[in-house]
Amino acid sequence: MTKSSAAAGRSPRLSRERIVAAVVDLLETGGVDAVTTRTVGVALQVHPTALYRHFRDMDDLIREAADHILEGVTDGVPEDNDPLETLSLVCLRLRAALMSHPGAAGGVASGPSRKLHERVLTERMLELLSSAGLGEEDVVLGYHALVEYTVGSAVIDAPGRDTEQDEESRHRAWRADYLTAPPDEFPVTLRLASLLYPSKDDQFRYGLRVLVDGLRDKVAS
C-alpha cells in the first residue's frame, strides 16, 4: 500500500471542532443522555480516551457543544434607541436558535456553558438592561427572568416529530376536553376553553412583552 492510499484510508485528524460537531449531532438525535465517551468515540471512530486530549471531561465537552449553538445570536442585532426593544429581539433570536437545535437546547437548559458565546450573550443582555436605566439588582434579576423564560419556552416548545397541523389537531382535542367541564365547577375554564392554546410563538411573544413592559415600568418608577 502506498503512503497516499494509506493516508486516504485514515480518518480526518481529530480536533475540537470535529468532536463538537459529533456531539451536536448526538444531542440532536438523542439528547444529553445520548452523549457518552463511548458514543462519541464510535461516531468519530476513535478510542474514547482520545477525547480527553481536547476536553477536560464530558461536562466540559457537552458545555462546549451547547455553547456552539449560541454562536451569532447577538450578531447584527440592530441598534435601537430603546434598549429593552433590542433586548426583546435578542430573546426572540435566542429562542429561535435553541428551537432549531432541540437536542442541544437541553444542554443549555442544564446551566450556562460559561464559554465564549454564552459569555457574549450574557454581556450583551446585561449591557442592554443597564443602559435601559435599571438598577443593578433589577438588571441581574431581569436578566435571569428573561433567560429562564426564553430557554424554558424553547425546551418545552421545541419541535418534535409532529407537524404544525398535528399540533393544532392536538390543541383542538384539548380545547374540546375543556369544553366538557361542568359549568358549575369550572365556569371560567368553560367560558375561555375555545381560546386556550394559541400558537406557541404567540404565547412566547405575549409573555416576553409582559416581562419587558414590567422592566420598563421599573425604569419609569
Side-chain angles (χ1 to χ4, degrees):
M1 180 182 293
T2 65
K3 288 185 178 180
S4 59
S5 61
R10 289 200 298 266
S11 298
R13 184 173 179 273
L14 193 63
S15 65
R16 287 179 68 91
E17 291 75 16
R18 280 194 65 218
I19 296 170
V20 167
V23 172
V24 170
D25 286 344
L26 287 168
L27 288 169
E28 292 310 301
T29 56
V32 175
D33 292 341
V35 182
T36 66
T37 53
R38 184 188 66 80
T39 58
V40 179
V42 169
L44 293 168
Q45 297 183 316
V46 299
H47 193 278
T49 58
L51 305 177
Y52 296 123
R53 293 199 294 269
H54 299 271
F55 293 94
R56 184 173 61 254
D57 52 30
M58 285 303 296
D59 176 67
D60 186 39
L61 174 49
I62 290 174
R63 287 191 295 111
E64 182 81 21
D67 191 66
H68 177 75
I69 68 174
L70 302 180
E71 182 176 3
V73 167
T74 61
D75 290 353
V77 174
E79 293 296 332
D80 195 291
N81 292 330
D82 186 339
L84 293 178
E85 289 306 310
T86 303
L87 185 65
S88 181
L89 177 58
V90 170
C91 289
L92 287 167
R93 292 180 61 167
L94 171 59
R95 181 172 182 267
L98 295 173
M99 290 187 69
S100 67
H101 297 87
V108 175
S110 67
S113 71
R114 289 104 64 200
K115 291 181 179 289
L116 175 62
H117 303 304
E118 189 270 334
R119 288 177 183 269
V120 169
L121 174 64
T122 298
E123 174 69 17
R124 185 69 172 119
M125 292 182 70
L126 292 173
E127 175 193 26
L128 288 166
L129 287 162
S130 295
S131 61
L134 290 160
E136 290 189 351
E137 183 176 2
D138 285 325
V139 167
V140 170
L141 291 175
Y143 161 76
H144 284 295
L146 288 165
V147 166
E148 291 188 17
Y149 174 64
T150 303
V151 174
S153 168
V155 172
I156 292 171
D157 294 344
R161 295 181 179 178
D162 291 345
T163 65
E164 187 174 333
Q165 184 176 5
D166 292 334
E167 181 181 298
E168 177 53 31
S169 296
R170 187 167 61 251
H171 286 178
R172 281 198 299 270
W174 293 350
R175 294 184 199 110
D177 282 343
Y178 284 117
L179 283 167
T180 65
D184 55 333
E185 293 183 59
F186 306 102
V188 180
T189 298
L190 191 60
R191 175 165 56 87
L192 299 175
S194 63
L195 300 177
L196 291 173
Y197 301 102
S199 75
K200 292 175 179 178
D201 287 344
D202 286 347
Q203 293 176 47
F204 176 74
R205 287 176 181 273
Y206 180 86
L208 181 61
R209 176 51 51 196
V210 169
L211 285 170
V212 170
D213 285 349
L215 291 168
R216 195 181 305 283
D217 288 344
K218 283 188 168 292
V219 173
S221 63

